[in-house]
Amino acid sequence: FPVGDTQKVLSEAIKDSVPVADIFYAFSALKNLGLQVDNAKVTSALTEALKKDDSPQSAGYGFFVASQLTGDTKKIFDSIEDVVAQADEVDDKYLQFEGGLYTTALVVDGAYKLAAKEKKAPTMSDDKVVKFANYFLSRKHVHQLRAAYQLVSVIKTLTDNQFHIPVAITLASPVAVTSSSPNVKVQVTNLLGGSIGSLTVTADSAKHISSEAIVLSKKPFTSKDSSTYELNFMQAKPVRGFYKIIISAKPSKEDKKLLGLTGAEVEVKVTTQVSIENVEIGVADKDQTTAARTTKVQYPGKASTVFEADYHQKIIVKFQLKDKADGTKMSAHQTFLKLTNQKTNQEIIFVADAASNKFDLDIGSSAGQFGHLSGKYSMELIIGDAVIENPFSWALGEVNLNFPEGQTPKDKGLDRYAKKPEIKHLFREPEKRPAAVVSTVFTFLVLAPVLILVLLWMKIGVNVSNFPMSLSAVGFHLCLAAIFGLYYLYWVELNMFQTVRYLGLLALPTFIFGNRLLSGIASKRKGEKKV
Amino acid sequence: MLRFSLFIAICVCSVLANKRTLVLVDNWSIRETHSVFFRTLRDRGFELTFKTADDSSLALVKYGEFLYDNLILFSPSVEEFGGSLDVAAITNFIDGGGNVLVAASSDIGDPIRELATECGVEFDYEKTAVIDHLNYDIKDQGKHTMIIADSKNLLDAPLIVGSKNINPLLYRGVGMVADPENPLVLSVLHASSTAYSFSPDKAIDDYPHAVGKNTLLVAALQARNNARVVFLGSLDFFSDEFFTFSVQSGMSNKQFPKSGNEDLALSLTQWVFKEKGVLRVGAVKHNKQGEKEPPQAYTVFDMVDYSIEIEELKDGKWKPFSGQDVQLEFVRIDPFVRTTLKNSNGKFHITFKLPDVYGVYKFQVDYNRVGYTHLYSTTQVSVRPLQHTQYERFIYSAYPYYTSAFSMMVGVCVFSLVFLHFKEEPKEKKE
């Protein structure tokens, strides 16, 4: 491994005009290889580069480099305060830099390493350190490798540096405290989960969040092991609900480094089992307040008869909720009555009156919600609350609802996403034609006049002796025949346009011949008369 | 060289054609808490631009052109958008064809609620959550707001939700309701019948915004211009935590090692950003049966061949569409004929007989199915009545008329001969 060249390359890399990151990598490489480093040159190059680029990320790199330099790095140390001021506060709990996890971890880690070298605590207020710690803990689920490495590094630094050690007080038992698991466990550790020595942990107060009642104060936790502490919460006979426990820890040996020892808040909820009693279901007329006859049902049974109700009646369901632990009456957040149409599976949900735990279902006025669909509905009572351990959905029974006829449910309309029905065009039926016999008969009948003409002519004697034998005569008769022949052709195969064209052609000679023929006949007649 | 580089540039532009995405976040930590989600989007080729929701340089439009094709709103608590962005600008973006993915949370602010109302979905008020006392996860903080949604509550639309055979989903956030009259809103995932949407710290004094199966957790909308919008009430749904958490119900002992969130998120983003379920029309051909070119006008009773090519976008490539229920309508104001087209590898064709009514018709293909873009193709043709030569020439019932006509013609011919050239016998002179 040619050490000489590497030394030269790396030393040359540290110049006045390179970015801080480059200085960091070159410097670290030199240090790791155990090579000679020109401290003064590095210091000057670093200060130059930091002046040019004062982003938090380069400041972080600068802290790392400075922590390993011999010489005066006080200015860089002083800049820690300014760099930390650039961090953004989120949700009042976290402190982070815009570059995200990697940059934040880099800056904090570098600051502590530099502080270790300068043997002075970094200029960061305690609550800022706590907020940084909160941010790092919230980013436990990091997926990026580079950021993960830096996160682990900074957490390690925050557990064993000489100045600030944030203490984490977290709930180690489930949120729900019940009579079967009455203990609240907390873990008091450093950020890596390791013990910080023996402490006395006290619950300063436990307050019921909604009623603000203080349930206990200054109760000590018993130590289970070096970092877990336990307190029997149910001993104080707390009422069900959410509680905020404020915890403080005092180390047996005074240690100024530990941060976050007082005022830690932990939320627990005391749950209980609920029992439902005095359940009554009845059907009454709209104007009455109580039902004449009610059916009592026991949980988890079902009403044996099917109730009948129609639109001028109402269904009344009454019940009472009791806390199983002490038998007191209680209310639940969710007290719903669900009716399910057994045919269409449509669900309609009603909310009970919270104060009286009573359902008053006016069938007539809620007909719209049911879509006016009469039929059998199953009734279910749903009871649930955050502090109830045994929420349930209980099938009470069935009811037959009758809505007035005539108000048919609205036609759902064509489903726009379905295939539309096929349409086949119905062709018009051709008109009925008379029987073939009729046509044949009449065809022959129609030929009768021709027959009569021929017969009569034969009777009276007919001749064409006067045929002039001239071109016109022959031509005319031929052309006339041709025109009728054209009509026949038109019937058989020609179309109108061809026919008219031929007709036009034939019309001319027909006219000329005919004219000449007739004038010839006329003059012959005149001649005969004269004579 | 210049031409080559220009060609490459055009290719790159067309590849990135619908992948420019603007992501708006409340704060920068969302970029890291949802890193897996954003990384998978980047791996699929999306060009993501991150900005905070109140950044004063926000703009969707520049010089009349949209700067982005897709918008991801992971900023539920924003009170006022920055720059030139506001609810009207976003609806304008949707009108211009842009796709939007919106995630809300219990800290929902007014702009997101307004945007949802514009699209036909109503979120509940802020500080409310979807609560389910019978289906909450064991990791819930105590108020039963981290709920488990079973995959059987998903819509039956594999294009939008992928396979329904996924692990249960974790959800923590605000609920919404859709107007049942609105035909364009799809309820992709609804809560179970025991869920409801209310403030967990207040007692229920009036009817909750949403109860039971009406509580929507994920709603989707495909606008009439095929722009797609998806609303989710839980920003945590997409977080790295929820992607990797195991699912265990606080009420039963069933446990699943990994939630189905990542699978559903993948399917939803594939649908909303138009990677799946996009159809387009290729060549439309029509002609008389047996001919190659369409005539100027068809005649009634003709047999007509009609074919249309439909392609579907699959994995970034256009492949022949494999649907079996595409219908053709032959419409002159009302449809006269409606048949299902036969599919042979993306070419849909049919041969049918034209009706006996003449007029101006349209070959209309109007394909509207859940999850697919709306396909509409219309070709106008005229159908003329029969020519005078196309009627029957020899009708047996008319033979009397034919024979009378022709016998008349023969009679005229003969009569004209006789009449013109008849020579009367000279009368015998009477003595």
Side-chain angles (χ1 to χ4, degrees):
Chain A
F1 195 64
V3 171
D5 272 1
T6 324
Q7 163 109 30
K8 205 161 85 125
V9 167
L10 289 172
S11 307
E12 309 248 294
I14 302 178
K15 285 195 294 241
D16 268 354
S17 55
V18 297
V20 186
D22 285 3
I23 299 180
F24 167 69
Y25 288 125
F27 180 79
S28 309
L30 282 169
K31 274 279 179 197
N32 286 333
L33 286 171
L35 296 172
Q36 270 270 329
V37 172
D38 185 348
N39 280 303
K41 190 165 132 205
V42 174
T43 319
S44 71
L46 189 63
T47 12
E48 269 301 313
L50 279 174
K51 253 194 271 193
K52 256 189 276 178
D53 175 10
D54 59 357
S55 71
Q57 198 172 27
S58 48
Y61 286 129
F63 296 153
F64 270 102
V65 175
S67 68
Q68 294 184 304
L69 277 176
T70 52
D72 181 17
T73 47
K74 193 163 169 312
K75 245 207 315 223
I76 300 179
F77 178 78
D78 286 337
S79 70
I80 292 180
E81 194 174 1
D82 297 326
V83 174
V84 167
Q86 283 182 39
D88 307 312
E89 199 173 294
V90 175
D91 279 346
D92 223 18
K93 271 200 291 193
Y94 307 131
L95 208 55
Q96 54 160 76
F97 287 101
E98 220 179 70
L101 180 58
Y102 179 70
T103 307
T104 316
L106 187 73
V107 168
V108 177
D109 202 7
Y112 276 95
K113 290 215 160 51
L114 181 58
K117 180 206 170 237
E118 292 275 329
K119 304 225 187 337
K120 258 202 296 193
T123 36
M124 271 193 266
S125 64
D126 285 359
D127 64 289
K128 278 210 174 60
V129 178
V130 170
K131 289 202 177 115
F132 273 125
N134 283 335
Y135 174 67
F136 293 138
L137 286 180
S138 77
R139 299 297 295 117
K140 271 188 299 197
H141 295 270
V142 62
H143 281 253
Q144 211 201 9
L145 194 57
R146 183 174 81 148
Y149 155 76
Q150 199 56 56
L151 175 66
V152 172
S153 173
V154 77
I155 297 260
K156 185 89 176 34
T157 310
L158 281 174
T159 52
D160 57 12
N161 69 71
Q162 295 299 316
F163 308 104
H164 300 133
I165 309 231
V167 169
I169 302 183
T170 48
L171 187 64
S173 58
V175 174
V177 179
T178 66
S179 42
S180 49
S181 60
N183 291 319
V184 172
K185 281 202 203 82
V186 289
Q187 270 191 323
V188 184
T189 63
N190 60 29
L191 291 185
L192 271 177
S195 166
I196 43 177
S198 75
L199 308 149
T200 32
V201 182
T202 328
D204 288 335
S205 68
K207 192 159 78 158
H208 188 254
I209 292 185
S210 37
S211 70
E212 308 247 326
I214 307 270
V215 170
L216 49 76
S217 63
K218 300 265 185 287
K219 213 68 193 303
F221 278 75
T222 46
S223 154
K224 293 300 272 192
D225 60 41
S226 59
S227 50
T228 318
Y229 298 84
E230 201 177 74
L231 171 69
N232 187 330
F233 197 63
M234 294 303 280
Q235 253 182 0
K237 298 251 185 291
V239 181
R240 60 187 175 273
F242 283 87
Y243 288 88
K244 208 190 289 230
I245 309 180
I246 303 190
I247 302 178
S248 64
K250 213 159 96 140
S252 39
K253 203 171 59 168
E254 177 89 13
D255 190 344
K256 279 236 184 68
K257 292 184 294 196
L258 299 173
L259 298 177
L261 286 171
T262 55
E265 283 178 4
V266 155
E267 250 190 49
V268 294
K269 72 174 174 178
V270 173
T271 59
T272 180
Q273 300 228 340
V274 73
S275 71
I276 181 165
E277 297 170 7
N278 297 338
V279 181
E280 293 175 10
I281 312 173
V283 177
D285 279 334
K286 231 200 300 213
D287 1 347
Q288 292 177 328
T289 44
T290 49
R293 253 180 336 114
T294 58
T295 316
K296 285 202 194 294
V297 198
Q298 263 309 73
Y299 177 75
K302 210 168 122 155
S304 44
T305 54
V306 174
F307 296 94
E308 292 276 342
D310 67 35
Y311 64 95
H312 55 67
Q313 289 178 313
K314 57 183 184 179
I315 300 180
I316 302 182
V317 179
K318 276 199 273 210
F319 57 92
Q320 264 180 3
L321 295 172
K322 285 221 173 81
D323 186 337
K324 260 200 200 156
D326 51 11
T328 53
K329 259 178 72 169
M330 68 180 278
S331 63
H333 199 238
Q334 181 184 28
T335 48
F336 292 169
L337 185 70
K338 180 172 82 160
L339 278 92
T340 316
N341 185 325
Q342 297 201 331
K343 261 193 296 211
T344 65
N345 275 337
Q346 187 199 4
E347 294 175 352
I348 306 104
I349 300 184
F350 296 94
V351 175
D353 181 55
S356 57
N357 274 349
K358 180 169 144 186
F359 288 98
D360 210 317
L361 256 122
D362 188 344
I363 308 291
S365 57
S366 57
Q369 287 191 16
F370 289 95
H372 299 281
L373 283 168
S374 309
K376 232 192 203 179
Y377 287 79
S378 63
M379 285 193 295
E380 272 172 53
L381 184 65
I382 307 177
I383 302 286
D385 193 290
V387 299
I388 291 183
E389 287 165 34
N390 55 339
F392 55 83
S393 169
W394 170 29
L396 288 172
E398 290 169 1
V399 64
N400 228 333
L401 294 178
N402 260 315
F403 293 109
E405 294 297 332
Q407 276 186 301
T408 47
K410 252 191 315 195
D411 185 18
K412 277 217 45 181
L414 228 49
D415 181 8
R416 52 185 284 128
Y417 295 112
K419 208 168 139 177
K420 291 188 236 189
E422 300 229 341
I423 299 177
K424 273 197 145 50
H425 181 74
L426 274 175
F427 289 88
R428 212 164 4 127
E429 292 286 330
E431 287 157 8
K432 277 190 68 98
R433 291 179 182 172
V437 177
V438 178
S439 316
T440 323
V441 167
F442 275 91
T443 307
F444 285 116
L445 278 180
V446 149
L447 286 175
V450 178
L451 215 63
I452 298 173
L453 178 70
V454 170
L455 282 173
L456 286 177
W457 266 349
M458 289 207 318
K459 207 154 156 233
I460 62 175
V462 105
N463 63 57
V464 278
S465 323
N466 252 346
F467 200 80
M469 279 303 159
S470 64
L471 177 65
S472 314
V474 175
F476 170 70
H477 288 290
L478 277 178
C479 283
L480 190 63
I483 288 179
F484 291 137
L486 179 66
Y487 287 173
Y488 174 73
L489 280 180
Y490 174 42
W491 179 54
V492 170
E493 66 185 30
L494 293 178
N495 68 41
M496 179 71 80
F497 307 103
Q498 296 163 309
T499 314
V500 171
R501 245 177 268 136
Y502 290 139
L503 194 63
L505 280 175
L506 278 175
L508 198 58
T510 313
F511 175 73
I512 296 174
F513 288 147
N515 204 14
R516 293 184 70 172
L517 172 65
L518 286 174
S519 59
I521 293 179
S523 58
K524 210 181 350 164
R525 287 239 180 99
K526 217 182 340 174
E528 273 178 13
K529 266 224 170 81
K530 255 208 211 134
V531 169
Chain B
M1 185 59 212
L2 186 65
R3 244 180 279 163
F4 182 71
S5 52
L6 189 64
F7 173 72
I8 294 291
I10 293 176
C11 281
V12 168
C13 284
S14 63
V15 162
L16 286 176
N18 54 350
K19 304 277 197 174
R20 302 167 301 165
T21 310
L22 174 64
V23 183
L24 294 184
V25 292
D26 271 337
N27 56 61
W28 292 111
S29 62
I30 291 183
R31 212 158 57 158
E32 296 173 334
T33 52
H34 294 66
S35 62
V36 175
F37 176 70
F38 290 126
R39 188 160 35 89
T40 46
L41 279 182
R42 268 203 215 93
D43 289 342
R44 279 164 30 205
F46 286 93
E47 196 190 293
L48 300 176
T49 311
F50 288 89
K51 292 226 166 96
T52 51
D54 44 16
D55 188 323
S56 54
S57 69
L58 283 180
L60 283 174
V61 181
K62 194 163 176 184
Y63 307 133
E65 295 261 319
F66 285 113
L67 290 166
Y68 305 97
D69 305 300
N70 310 312
L71 178 63
I72 298 182
L73 288 176
F74 276 4
S75 52
S77 63
V78 65
E79 291 296 327
E80 202 179 317
F81 286 110
S84 66
L85 209 65
D86 58 4
V87 176
I90 299 177
T91 42
N92 186 33
F93 178 70
I94 300 174
D95 281 340
N99 310 308
V100 186
L101 174 66
V102 182
S105 74
S106 290
D107 295 322
I108 192 172
D110 278 336
I112 301 285
R113 296 189 73 241
E114 255 180 65
L115 175 66
T117 316
E118 291 278 330
C119 297
V121 162
E122 252 193 71
F123 277 112
D124 204 350
Y125 294 106
E126 70 165 331
K127 303 276 185 289
T128 60
V130 179
I131 306 170
D132 195 339
H133 296 297
L134 282 91
N135 287 310
Y136 60 92
D137 188 82
I138 208 166
K139 292 184 278 305
D140 175 69
Q141 295 298 315
K143 300 253 170 82
H144 295 174
T145 53
M146 186 193 235
I147 63 174
I148 302 176
D150 199 86
S151 56
K152 68 168 160 41
N153 290 338
L154 283 170
L155 183 69
D156 245 331
L159 275 174
I160 307 180
V161 306
S163 157
K164 268 174 95 161
N165 201 6
I166 52 178
N167 285 342
L169 306 154
L170 284 174
Y171 185 96
R172 177 171 60 202
V174 67
M176 39 185 163
V177 277
D179 183 3
E181 305 287 323
N182 188 327
L184 299 174
V185 174
L186 302 163
S187 55
V188 177
L189 178 65
H190 62 81
S192 69
S193 336
T194 49
Y196 60 102
S197 169
F198 207 76
S199 163
D201 302 317
K202 290 209 234 111
I204 298 185
D205 46 0
D206 69 298
Y207 202 75
H209 185 80
V211 279
K213 295 218 171 107
N214 286 337
T215 319
L216 289 187
L217 306 177
V218 181
L221 169 86
Q222 183 166 277
R224 292 180 205 272
N225 62 349
N226 291 329
R228 291 171 172 171
V229 187
V230 168
F231 292 97
L232 272 116
S234 168
L235 180 56
D236 294 330
F237 187 93
F238 290 114
S239 63
D240 297 346
E241 287 185 329
F242 275 43
F243 275 4
T244 51
F245 270 168
S246 68
V247 177
Q248 186 175 3
S249 167
M251 294 297 297
S252 75
N253 278 328
K254 267 194 18 195
Q255 202 199 29
F256 295 87
K258 186 168 183 289
S259 72
N261 286 29
E262 195 167 358
D263 299 320
L264 183 64
L266 176 71
S267 307
L268 283 176
T269 49
Q270 277 182 333
W271 185 78
V272 75
F273 296 138
K274 299 239 183 74
E275 289 181 320
K276 253 167 74 169
V278 185
L279 299 173
R280 77 168 178 194
V281 173
V284 173
K285 288 208 245 327
H286 59 88
N287 51 267
K288 247 197 261 215
Q289 193 176 36
E291 293 178 15
K292 282 255 168 71
E293 291 294 323
Q296 243 226 340
Y298 289 101
T299 312
V300 286
F301 301 118
D302 269 353
M303 291 298 283
V304 174
D305 286 336
Y306 175 85
S307 73
I308 180 172
E309 282 172 11
I310 303 182
E311 290 173 322
E312 184 184 0
L313 188 64
K314 276 204 184 120
D315 298 327
K317 293 206 196 25
W318 291 101
K319 301 257 168 64
F321 180 51
S322 59
Q324 298 296 329
D325 57 350
V326 184
Q327 287 179 311
L328 168 72
E329 280 180 341
F330 196 58
V331 179
R332 181 197 82 167
I333 304 176
D334 291 318
F336 276 72
V337 178
R338 196 186 284 140
T339 54
T340 311
L341 295 168
K342 296 196 239 307
N343 183 357
S344 45
N345 198 27
K347 191 162 167 172
F348 293 80
H349 57 92
I350 188 85
T351 304
F352 68 102
K353 192 161 184 192
L354 294 179
D356 57 351
V357 182
Y358 62 89
V360 177
Y361 287 85
K362 285 195 279 219
F363 286 111
Q364 209 173 66
V365 173
D366 186 0
Y367 190 65
N368 206 1
R369 298 287 180 270
V370 172
Y372 281 112
T373 52
H374 179 214
L375 196 74
Y376 186 74
S377 154
T378 168
T379 319
Q380 191 168 296
V381 292
S382 11
V383 174
R384 49 164 301 168
L386 289 172
Q387 275 190 330
H388 68 284
T389 49
Q390 290 173 314
Y391 291 96
E392 263 184 84
R393 277 195 197 244
F394 310 106
I395 305 176
Y396 196 72
S397 316
Y399 268 71
Y401 303 95
Y402 303 148
T403 28
S404 69
F406 287 118
S407 69
M408 187 63 147
M409 290 183 209
V410 167
V412 166
C413 262
V414 172
F415 184 81
S416 65
L417 269 174
V418 171
F419 184 76
L420 287 174
H421 309 295
F422 177 69
K423 190 176 184 168
E424 263 203 32
E425 294 293 314
K427 272 222 192 80
E428 299 236 330
K429 280 215 177 77
K430 260 190 154 146
E431 204 33 16

